[in-house]
Amino acid sequence: SLKNSGTLASSMRVRAMNLSGSSPSLDDVLKVQIYDQSNNIAYTGKVSGIDVLQPLLPARTTSVYTIKVTWPDEPTVDDNPYQGATLSFDLTADASVIAGQ
């Protein structure tokens, strides 16, 4: 959930940062889909590429996103090297006031 508890409208951006983990990296195989509250796809790709912009979040409102992380069953990918692999990351949100709001 992204919550604008302020008195002005803002844009909000959520990014994945500070990735760390084993080698090989789970970032190479995990697939991420992020859906907005209308169930529209806001992002598809790797964990490391997460970068979602909420262009307008009115004052005192909340926008809810759903993050789906999957390990796709791809016959051409050898999953064995990823046994026991780890991946950690932070999701960071930044807000910017929208001029004229």
Side-chain angles (χ1 to χ4, degrees), residues 26 29-33 45 67-73:
L26 289 175
V29 292
L30 296 177
K31 304 296 181 205
V32 177
Q33 283 191 315
I67 300 173
K68 180 179 176 183
V69 180
T70 58
W71 186 310
D73 185 15

Side-chain angles (χ1 to χ4, degrees), residues 16-65:
M17 301 184 76
N18 304 319
L19 269 76
S20 64
S22 57
S23 181
S25 175
L26 289 175
D27 191 44
D28 295 332
V29 292
L30 296 177
K31 304 296 181 205
V32 177
Q33 283 191 315
I34 301 177
Y35 299 88
D36 65 17
Q37 59 192 21
S38 299
N39 209 31
N40 297 311
I41 295 176
Y43 174 79
T44 299
K46 293 182 172 189
V47 171
S48 61
I50 293 174
D51 191 347
V52 176
L53 178 66
Q54 169 77 43
L56 173 64
L57 191 58
R60 297 184 182 92
T61 61
T62 300
S63 186
V64 178
Y65 288 82

